[in-house]
Amino acid sequence: MAHFRTVVGLLFFCCIFKYTVSAPQSDDYVYSDEDLKPACDDSNCKLPSCSCFGSHPSVSIQDRPQFLMLTFDDAITVANIDTYNKIAAKGVRMTFFVSHEYNDYSLTQKLYSNGHEIAVHSISHESNTDFWRDGDETKWKQEMVGMRAMLTTFGSLPQAELVGHRAPFLQTSGDSTFSVLQKEKFLYDSSMPSRSYMDPPIWPYTLDHGYGQDCQIEPCPNGNFPGLWEVPMVQYHRISKEGDFYCSMLDACTPYPVTAMDTKDYLMKNFLRHYKSNKAPFPIFLHEAWLRDKARLEGFLQFLDEVLKYQDVRSATIRDVIEYMRNPTTHRQFQPYRQSPPKPCNKVETCSYKEPLRFMKSCAMCPKYYPWVGTPMGRIPPKNFPIN
């Protein structure tokens, strides 16, 4: 059900095209002549902590790595772990934006232990987007910092490595969201779609001088958030008999491909837009349910097999890409980010609750009450729990 709600929301948002176009003052490419942001250049924005909107790594295009950034949203469960394992068998590193409902924290810990990145996607994953759009800082802190605490406690993961954020349904509340991320020492957000900067695609940048890209889902941040990276959700283009479609997540473009060949072709055409221009990281942002179709999974794996043969293509977590941006190298010199080891998950606890009727798998002792917004450690009964 959680997968269904998420896909439906994204199908709605992928069709919203609102533009607040801006551009850097200097770049290899000219994106737009409109609404220049405050000056950002090497004199007031220096790596490793600051990177201007529109900037590129100080490595020639030929020598840059072409990153594949594969991410999945929502809970990690026994229903999707087999798909993740099939992809990982290709040597692919992934980032998982995890929400709490139905999440198996022992499987989450195992994925992290195998070198994948775990990031935050909220506790409740509330389906009413007004909840997120109108949320104040207190609400965002409860949801995101609370989710980080759950991953640390029940998944035995190092808090310092849980640095990424994606808003449910890609709906932020603008400055309130980003203020919480900065204050709570998140490293990056990856919630903001861009259609205006698809061709050539933009690289990640920091928000020291404000939000630079087009605003697809309002409200977008207006303030400056030094040191906080934005990893743009560069949109995909889907060409079909029904017309041209653009979407922020791979599984939101319709109609869905129904054959392995069509799936591979869809991915390859979007990949080449990155690879043949400035080699900005190619995003593969997904929900696992899209790959439960046998033909789509086959085409998806065929795509990975083909592009991973390129000598300059590197599979990378989002954290890998951020660390690369901080210290650019050639594709030959690139080294993945080394995460701190987790605590061992020596015994998996199955925690069962009657009110609400829920269970969860945990690497820690079961709390007295079901963990939820406002009580992430389960010390008091959850309030305002949705009735399904």
Side-chain angles (χ1 to χ4, degrees), residues 76-365:
I76 296 165
T77 71
V78 292
N80 53 38
I81 192 64
D82 286 347
T83 302
Y84 299 150
N85 288 336
K86 288 177 183 177
I87 295 169
K90 301 290 184 181
V92 172
R93 289 162 58 85
M94 294 170 273
T95 296
F96 295 90
F97 291 98
V98 180
S99 51
H100 170 60
E101 279 276 72
Y102 309 106
N103 188 60
D104 185 325
Y105 288 90
S106 64
L107 292 178
T108 305
Q109 195 263 12
K110 188 172 183 180
L111 284 170
Y112 177 91
S113 298
N114 290 336
H116 306 290
E117 181 186 12
I118 304 299
V120 169
H121 195 42
S122 82
I123 295 175
S124 71
H125 206 291
E126 166 62 50
S127 60
N128 181 358
T129 54
D130 291 348
F131 174 92
W132 304 106
R133 185 191 64 214
D134 301 333
D136 59 15
E137 288 191 24
T138 297
K139 187 174 290 185
W140 280 92
K141 182 175 179 179
Q142 285 182 328
E143 288 275 359
M144 301 306 172
V145 178
M147 187 64 218
R148 184 170 64 185
M150 287 182 177
L151 289 164
T152 299
T153 301
F154 305 120
S156 297
L157 302 181
Q159 178 176 310
E161 301 289 6
L162 305 174
V163 297
H165 166 269
R166 176 166 289 158
F169 306 102
L170 313 184
Q171 179 66 68
T172 75
S173 62
D175 283 352
S176 294
T177 303
F178 287 84
S179 180
V180 168
L181 297 180
Q182 184 186 48
K183 290 175 182 177
E184 298 298 330
K185 301 188 185 308
F186 283 84
L187 177 64
Y188 71 84
D189 168 74
S190 183
S191 306
M192 312 303 286
S194 177
R195 184 180 176 189
S196 294
Y197 303 107
M198 288 175 61
D199 193 9
I202 46 175
W203 284 76
Y205 61 98
T206 63
L207 299 174
D208 292 61
H209 292 80
Y211 181 74
Q213 66 198 71
D214 44 324
C215 187
Q216 291 285 315
I217 303 174
E218 295 181 340
C220 293
N222 291 313
N224 297 341
F225 303 94
L228 182 63
W229 289 81
E230 181 57 39
V231 181
M233 301 187 74
V234 176
Q235 290 192 323
Y236 309 93
H237 184 199
R238 170 86 168 127
I239 304 172
S240 70
K241 294 178 181 179
E242 286 80 0
D244 287 6
F245 298 89
Y246 295 86
C247 52
S248 305
M249 297 192 75
L250 197 68
D251 51 356
C253 271
T254 56
Y256 287 174
V258 295
T259 67
M261 182 179 296
D262 190 17
T263 304
K264 181 181 175 182
D265 183 64
Y266 170 35
L267 282 154
M268 186 61 72
K269 285 180 178 177
N270 283 278
F271 167 79
L272 291 175
R273 189 177 65 253
H274 291 246
Y275 188 69
K276 291 187 174 182
S277 58
N278 59 17
K279 284 188 176 178
F282 177 59
I284 310 176
F285 299 152
L286 267 176
H287 300 85
E288 184 272 343
W290 194 73
L291 294 175
R292 293 187 190 178
D293 178 270
K294 184 177 180 180
R296 274 198 295 276
L297 177 59
E298 181 183 352
F300 182 82
L301 295 177
Q302 288 175 0
F303 165 77
L304 292 178
D305 285 338
E306 180 166 336
V307 297
L308 288 172
K309 292 176 183 177
Y310 293 23
Q311 65 174 359
D312 50 355
V313 168
R314 298 290 182 272
S315 168
T317 66
I318 293 185
R319 182 68 184 270
D320 289 335
V321 172
I322 296 296
E323 297 302 331
Y324 174 84
M325 294 294 296
R326 288 172 150 180
N327 183 27
T329 65
T330 67
H331 63 82
R332 299 175 187 85
Q333 298 169 312
F334 167 72
Q335 294 293 327
Y337 174 73
R338 297 184 64 179
Q339 301 179 130
S340 302
K343 295 178 181 178
C345 189
N346 294 324
K347 182 181 179 182
V348 178
E349 300 282 353
T350 300
C351 309
S352 300
Y353 303 91
K354 293 183 179 179
E355 294 183 4
L357 186 61
R358 289 290 188 274
F359 76 92
M360 72 176 194
K361 294 288 186 70
S362 171
C363 290
M365 290 182 61

Side-chain angles (χ1 to χ4, degrees), residues 360-377:
M360 72 176 194
K361 294 288 186 70
S362 171
C363 290
M365 290 182 61
C366 296
K368 183 176 181 180
Y369 300 103
Y370 183 66
W372 193 243
V373 181
T375 177
M377 296 298 100

